[in-house]
Amino acid sequence: MDTIHIRGGNALFGETRVQGSKNAVLPVLAAALLIEDVCVIDNCPRISDVHHMLMLLEGIGCRVSRKNRSVTIDARNVSDDTMSGENVTGMRSSITLLGAMLGRVGEITMAYPGGCVIGERPIDLHISALRRMGVDICERESNFTAKVRKLEGTVIRLPLSSVGVTENVILAAVKAKGVTVLQNAAKEPEIVTLCEFLRDAGAVIEGIGGSTLIIQGGHPLHGVSFRIPADRIVAGTYLMAALGAGGHIFLEDAPSAQMHSMIKAAEQIGADITVSREGLNIMAQEKKRAIPYLRTEIYPGFPTDMQSLIMPVLATAEGVSVIEETVFENRFRIVEELKRMGACIEIQKKSQALIVGTDSLLGCEVSAQELRGGAALVIAGCMAQGETVVKNCHFIERGYEDICRDLQNLGVTIYTG
Ligand code: EPZ
């Protein structure tokens, strides 16, 4: 069944391991396509977005095998007669295949990835960046074809620090003729992971972790064994669950160094957090304080993916909080569901949510409409009095290996229906 049942209102106690990062592994899997060799990716999370990406890679000629959380990708036999662009169907992360396919084979026809409830998700910046590298792109009503004989290194300055566009330019640039300088690049940890994977495979990339990347194209790439870091947003999800419901938890393998902004917000609300090499130790204080103004920003600011996840926590904090969403244009869909649970939230100026803290939330039936909003409803269920039933949980499975298993490890009464 596509539902999760939670009996909330009790503090969390226990420890759980944090899975590998969805947003790091997807571009790394696409990058494996550039390497005419065998790559082994460890700590690969078992989530539906990875499953779909592996199917796409198989559809274009890669041999893929998986043993537990280790995925082996043999891309030695991908060639333009084994893959037809039509295999690549619309899935958000498939847009990351664009740069890799151009780098490997020089042509791809794919459907527009399509928007989702959090925003239009256009690809205009992907197209303009790749055109600057010599790619000819023919756009049609429902799909587009990108073709290039030889990618050319060039200077590209992004109008905004898009994660996906940064990834596509990197993937194309490692195979381009000459040097590509990418300015105003995204600095998210997932970009660093992609660059480290490609550097291990023989690519020459300077400025990793900064906003200007210099990629020398044409260096031969060889197979690598690579471990995906833990998922900072999944770790942040369980951090917020403990903050909201109270208690004392330990998140093994949590990538603390990538979580400064969310740890700072949690301490502002009322948590004592200890960082160690092994993970994150969180003690939630009884009283939760509001955050007068919290703004989502590109890394290292407070992540947009954490915005829905902190909302239920602030809904029961003492005082008034304002969250400003600056990255996506429609990322407050969860507000109506939280109001049904008793939250007092109003949207103002389209990009701001004003939250007046109430004593507690009340369990009821709610519906997930996208990945992080769905996970946020599970957090709300952990905090609420009584039972909460979250429907449409397939959205949550896109990014969480097993949110019920992880929260059961933390003492929550939760099960799939
Ligand atoms: C990545 O999406 C993540 N997805 C998102 O995580 C994350 O929220 C986002 O980065 C921001 O951090 C993956 O990594 C698979 P963007 P992406 O391009 O690359 C606009 C999750 O929950 N834009 O940085 O699509 C865009 O509309 C997901 O795991 C254009 O206008 O995000 C948005 O407003 C949700 N034109 C802004 O840029 C373009 O051509 C930032 O988007 C591309 C983007």
Side-chain angles (χ1 to χ4, degrees):
M1 286 273 280
D2 196 17
T3 56
I4 288 179
H5 299 251
I6 309 132
R7 177 153 295 285
N10 303 307
L12 272 58
F13 293 98
E15 63 180 71
T16 197
R17 192 188 77 86
V18 178
Q19 71 182 58
S21 166
K22 166 178 93 78
N23 292 350
V25 74
L26 293 173
V28 164
L29 294 174
L33 183 60
L34 291 172
I35 302 169
E36 296 184 43
D37 203 341
V38 178
C39 292
V40 178
I41 313 295
D42 285 319
N43 200 30
C44 183
R46 291 185 298 231
I47 54 178
S48 56
D49 269 14
V50 165
H51 175 71
H52 291 142
M53 178 61 101
L54 293 178
M55 276 172 46
L56 292 177
L57 290 176
E58 281 186 312
I60 53 181
C62 294
R63 290 176 57 197
V64 172
S65 62
R66 146 157 252 176
K67 187 162 176 288
N68 232 336
R69 292 192 176 92
S70 178
V71 169
T72 300
I73 298 167
D74 179 346
R76 284 176 292 188
N77 299 317
V78 172
S79 69
D80 43 6
D81 59 3
T82 60
M83 66 98 208
S84 79
E86 275 67 34
N87 289 316
V88 180
T89 55
M91 182 193 75
R92 197 63 222 145
S93 7
S94 65
I95 191 69
T96 321
L97 277 174
L98 178 55
M101 296 273 255
L102 289 170
R104 179 64 189 267
V105 180
E107 178 177 352
I108 176 172
T109 296
M110 65 189 292
Y112 290 103
C116 63
V117 290
I118 69 174
E120 190 50 41
R121 314 300 292 274
I123 60 166
D124 55 322
L125 301 182
H126 293 261
I127 288 175
S128 53
L130 292 170
R131 277 180 170 148
R132 284 188 53 72
M133 299 181 78
V135 179
D136 175 43
I137 296 178
C138 168
E139 299 183 70
R140 297 178 210 88
E141 188 61 31
S142 64
N143 66 17
F144 65 93
T145 298
K147 257 186 202 165
V148 65
R149 272 163 22 79
K150 186 63 193 153
L151 286 157
E152 293 143 24
T154 183
V155 177
I156 298 172
R157 178 167 184 75
L158 297 183
L160 59 88
S161 302
S162 156
V163 171
V165 177
T166 300
E167 289 165 351
N168 263 329
V169 170
I170 292 167
L171 291 167
V174 293
K175 288 285 188 180
K177 181 166 165 286
V179 178
T180 298
V181 178
L182 179 58
Q183 298 170 335
N184 200 26
K187 298 189 290 185
E188 270 67 8
E190 295 76 37
I191 304 291
V192 173
T193 301
L194 175 62
C195 291
E196 287 173 345
F197 171 81
L198 287 166
R199 191 181 53 191
D200 288 1
V204 177
I205 304 174
E206 296 162 57
I208 296 176
S211 53
T212 297
L213 295 171
I214 301 169
I215 303 131
Q216 288 183 25
H219 289 265
L221 302 178
H222 54 77
V224 286
S225 281
F226 188 81
R227 178 179 172 77
I228 298 295
D231 192 310
R232 62 191 172 105
I233 306 299
V234 170
T237 303
Y238 303 143
L239 164 60
M240 292 302 155
L243 203 51
H248 178 189
I249 65 169
F250 180 73
L251 299 178
E252 185 192 337
D253 210 15
S256 318
Q258 302 175 8
M259 299 173 66
H260 290 311
S261 61
M262 54 182 106
I263 288 171
K264 183 166 162 257
E267 288 173 335
Q268 252 183 289
I269 293 171
D272 296 319
I273 294 174
T274 316
V275 170
S276 68
R277 280 170 52 82
E278 294 69 38
L280 214 52
N281 189 60
I282 299 138
M283 291 188 71
Q285 292 161 12
E286 266 309 300
K287 208 163 69 80
K288 287 194 291 281
R289 296 182 290 270
I291 298 182
Y293 180 73
L294 178 66
R295 178 188 164 89
T296 64
E297 291 172 322
I298 59 175
Y299 195 83
F302 188 81
T304 174
D305 292 350
M306 287 297 303
Q307 183 257 101
S308 297
L309 300 166
I310 200 169
M311 196 175 274
V313 180
L314 294 174
T316 58
E318 284 182 13
V320 178
S321 305
V322 170
I323 300 180
E324 177 124 41
E325 171 57 55
T326 68
V327 177
F328 287 105
E329 68 271 24
N330 193 20
R331 205 164 194 175
F332 286 137
R333 297 292 291 261
I334 182 189
V335 167
E336 287 314 309
E337 297 300 291
L338 289 178
K339 286 168 80 169
R340 296 179 56 234
M341 297 179 75
C344 179
I345 307 173
E346 286 313 319
I347 305 299
Q348 48 188 20
K349 297 192 282 185
K350 202 166 169 351
S351 66
Q352 283 191 352
L354 184 137
I355 305 160
V356 180
T358 56
D359 287 346
S360 68
L361 298 177
L362 300 175
C364 72
E365 189 170 285
V366 288
S367 296
Q369 297 168 52
E370 38 85 27
L371 168 57
R372 304 302 174 187
L377 291 174
V378 173
I379 292 176
C382 294
M383 302 165 49
Q385 301 304 320
E387 179 172 66
T388 298
V389 178
V390 182
K391 298 193 297 183
N392 300 335
C393 292
H394 57 275
F395 287 114
I396 301 172
E397 289 161 8
R398 284 193 47 214
Y400 295 79
E401 258 189 7
D402 189 339
I403 199 167
C404 290
R405 172 202 65 198
D406 294 346
L407 288 172
Q408 281 164 2
N409 289 343
L410 300 177
V412 178
T413 305
I414 180 171
Y415 59 92
T416 50

